[in-house]
Amino acid sequence: MKKHKIYIVSFLTIALAVVGLNLVIFLTNRDNVGLEESLVITQNDKGWIYEIYVDEKLLIKQETIPAISGECYFENKGDAEKIGYLVLDKLKNGVVPPTVSFQEIMSSNIIISN
């Protein structure tokens, strides 16, 4: 019984590693498979939002300013656009996940208020 559990755990670990590796390879080599990325800026009642689509499928929907604690919303379209293009550029350059640091937010000179 113990050997059976070890085999199952080993198989699942290897399967997850293979799936994860394929995802990383797929996302970092997406230029070779002809994927198209796009950035869409919209507004809701709280602020501005950026959405990133890959081949017309929603990949990221960012309603709040990343790397800022609490619910801090983009106050204008230009700020959402700046950070959206930063994330989009990271994706295009194979940065997975395309996280945004507090320093990148500060250097972008966007408006931050609660």
Side-chain angles (χ1 to χ4, degrees), residues 18-33:
V18 168
V19 168
L21 182 60
N22 282 330
L23 179 61
V24 169
I25 290 170
F26 175 75
L27 289 173
T28 56
N29 291 325
R30 69 189 172 288
D31 290 336
N32 295 334
V33 291

Side-chain angles (χ1 to χ4, degrees), residues 20-77:
L21 182 60
N22 282 330
L23 179 61
V24 169
I25 290 170
F26 175 75
L27 289 173
T28 56
N29 291 325
R30 69 189 172 288
D31 290 336
N32 295 334
V33 291
L35 296 181
E36 182 179 322
E37 301 96 349
S38 61
L39 177 68
V40 175
I41 309 297
T42 59
Q43 187 179 23
N44 66 15
D45 59 331
K46 295 180 181 178
W48 291 86
I49 300 167
Y50 70 81
E51 298 172 336
I52 295 177
Y53 291 83
V54 175
D55 279 350
E56 299 180 8
K57 292 182 183 177
L58 180 63
L59 181 66
I60 298 170
K61 181 175 185 175
Q62 189 68 44
E63 296 184 14
T64 59
I65 301 173
I68 303 295
S69 61
E71 292 186 0
C72 193
Y73 300 94
F74 292 104
E75 292 205 3
N76 60 62
K77 183 178 180 179

